[in-house]
Amino acid sequence: MNPLRRFLRVPEARAGVVILAALLAMALSASLFFPGDPQAIAGPALLPPFKDWSLPLGTDRLGRDVLAELFHGARTSLAVGIAAAAAALVIGAIIGTLAGFAGGLIDELLMRTTDAFQTVPSFLLALAFVSVVGPSLGVVVAAIALGAWTGPARVARAEVLSIRERDFVAGARVTGMHPLEIAFREILPNALPPVLALSSVIVAAAILTEAALSFLGLGDPNRVTWGGMIAEGRAVLRTAPFLSIIPGIALVLTVLGVYLAGEGVVETTAVRRSLS
Amino acid sequence: MNRALILLRRRLVGSIFVLLIVVIGTFLLLELAPGDAVDAYIVSTGGDAGMIELLRHRWGLDQSELTRLANYLWALLHLDLGQSVAFSRPIRDVILERLPTTLILMGSATALSFGLGSALGIYAGARPGSFRDRFLSIGSLALYAVPGFWLGLVLIVIFAVDLRWLPIGGIESIASIKTGLGRAADIAVHLVLPVSALGFIYLALYLRMTRAGMAEAWRQDFVLAARARGLSRRRIVFAHVARNALLSLVTMLGLQSAQMLGGSVVIESVFAVPGLGRLAQEAVAARDTPLLLGIILVSAVLVILINLLVDIAYALLDPRVGASETGA
């Protein structure tokens, strides 16, 4: 059986894939269904959901279409989540490989730096970074990646430590390959699988961190974000709680989808390992 | 006890080095910030170019980067975090004032998540693959996906707005001049919702970790041996399987402390709890970067201290730790 079929036989994986596919469709079709500015006024203010079918989820305090905002917010959440996780994995893999391969003083220095980054609460670090540099999409991605690369770095280092004593590495040394070339062309690719296994957790955490930053008003002000929508709705929490609750449900489903798909991958690979 | 002391000394040396890296990092962030303390001061008080020049010189801001880093480190050695622009008071005093509230919040949330999470984890892991195991496993995954600040808002809508059972925010009733037990009860009532919002996510984490640890322990030889000796299932679960799973959970307590401190920033903002996290948000709003970096430094020290305590607890609980290091 091919890996994809086996993956889709895990019920968790199926549920996760369905959720993520729906989300991706939302993000990609946002400008198709809701062309124009999602932050433009579309109707009367504070229209409750399911009252007017041209505005199915109602409007917010300023009369903006909640459904349109939800679609456009899916874009920001996915883009930031994936970009920040990718950056964290790349940085982590490089630093972990360098530390594990070089050993000695470089290893000590890099790992104590990793310790330092793990000692500072990553959300506080992101908060400080965004507030110092100024909020924009790229800065938010960098801020989240800044606190997320330590896990991948530790895993990569542990893998590299076990790989660097293998015969093919010794072979590469004998052929006179440059040490950096050995580290990144021979060792790193072999150390990647367990590092990549962290990606679902990191994507999920990145999406949650972005939402929390936007909730505190530190997201990109020119983009709709689910966290920003929740914060917007908070002002009218007593009279129109749906404004905060709807984007929150989207957030929970997204993160759950990422976790479920990740569980599916773990289960699939675990089965394969026990079979071989 | 001797073993724990040796471990403590080794960790302390490492921690000082880690702390130095954190300090250099915060100094770099401070340098990255547009404008300096003088600019921030002038904005709030007003003053001419001569005044700016004078202040820069007096505060040592006209010196080279390295000299300033040295000055910064020297001040930190004297526990001097500088002056808060927003509060016009020493940063150390502002932080120390807010710290206890955050510690109470974190402590209660940890107790809730660790206690309930490990209990439910043992309940689920006692019978792997059973209905309750699958139910709790999926349920905890769903709970783990919930953002704490949103959970806080939902709890406010249900318990404070609709049912009116609990206060909507704050740490104690403003009008109350209660003392002693009355005041403690008042604070406890105010803490129910924030502690739940902060703790429930970690509850899911501890539940999943206990369950995974128990699944691992069930496969070990000592469980087979216990079965062969004819021990009751209840005894095997508690004395052998759960015990081993809980031991690894203790290390998670330390590792999660940094995350929880970060989470409390948003939770304190949702519930208007006047702790360290809310202070961080106020610092951001007032563009008081030195205060924000002071909070980061204090948080790092706090996380290091918590991890030291956890390491000592672990060494005392598990006789295998450190046995080789002491040459015994």
Side-chain angles (χ1 to χ4, degrees), chain B residues 70-105:
Chain B
N71 288 344
Y72 186 60
L73 280 171
W74 184 246
L76 285 180
L77 269 182
H78 296 86
L79 300 178
D80 174 11
L81 291 169
Q83 191 81 6
S84 160
V85 183
F87 291 85
S88 311
R89 282 172 57 203
I91 291 175
R92 185 188 58 199
D93 296 357
V94 181
I95 289 179
L96 283 180
E97 204 174 86
R98 303 288 193 99
L99 194 57
T101 310
T102 296
L103 287 180
I104 293 173
L105 179 66

Side-chain angles (χ1 to χ4, degrees), chain A residues 12 109 112-113 115-116 118-125 127-129 131-133 208 211-212 215-216 218 227 230 234 237-238 241 244-245 248-249 251-252 255-256 259-260 263, chain B residues 17-18 21-22 29 32-34 134 141-142 144-147 149-150 153 156-157 161 168 208 258-259 261-262 265-266 269-270 280-281 284 287 289 292 295-296 299-300 303-304:
Chain A
E12 284 96 342
L109 204 66
R112 289 297 84 76
T113 310
D115 283 343
Q118 277 181 324
T119 301
V120 174
S122 52
F123 186 72
L124 263 181
L125 185 62
L127 195 76
F129 189 76
S131 111
V132 163
V133 185
L208 288 175
F215 177 74
L216 291 183
L218 285 169
I230 297 174
R234 193 181 164 196
L237 198 62
R238 280 168 192 278
S244 286
I245 289 176
I249 291 172
L251 207 48
V252 173
V255 176
L256 190 60
Y259 279 143
L260 287 171
E263 286 267 291
Chain B
F17 198 64
V18 167
I21 297 177
V22 174
L29 255 179
L32 202 63
R134 292 196 76 87
L141 196 66
Y144 198 46
V146 176
F149 65 91
W150 181 72
L153 288 177
I156 286 179
V157 169
V161 176
I168 201 159
R208 293 184 72 76
Q259 296 302 317
L261 205 52
V265 175
V266 205
S269 145
V270 168
Q281 217 222 328
V284 169
R287 305 216 132 270
T289 310
L292 192 55
I295 295 170
I296 289 186
S299 305
V303 169
I304 287 174

Side-chain angles (χ1 to χ4, degrees), chain B residues 297-310:
Chain B
L297 271 181
V298 171
S299 305
V301 173
L302 200 62
V303 169
I304 287 174
L305 285 179
I306 293 173
N307 275 295
L308 276 176
L309 285 177
V310 169

Side-chain angles (χ1 to χ4, degrees), chain B residues 62-73:
Chain B
D62 51 355
Q63 284 159 327
S64 73
E65 277 91 359
L66 267 178
T67 319
R68 273 191 315 221
L69 178 60
N71 288 344
Y72 186 60
L73 280 171

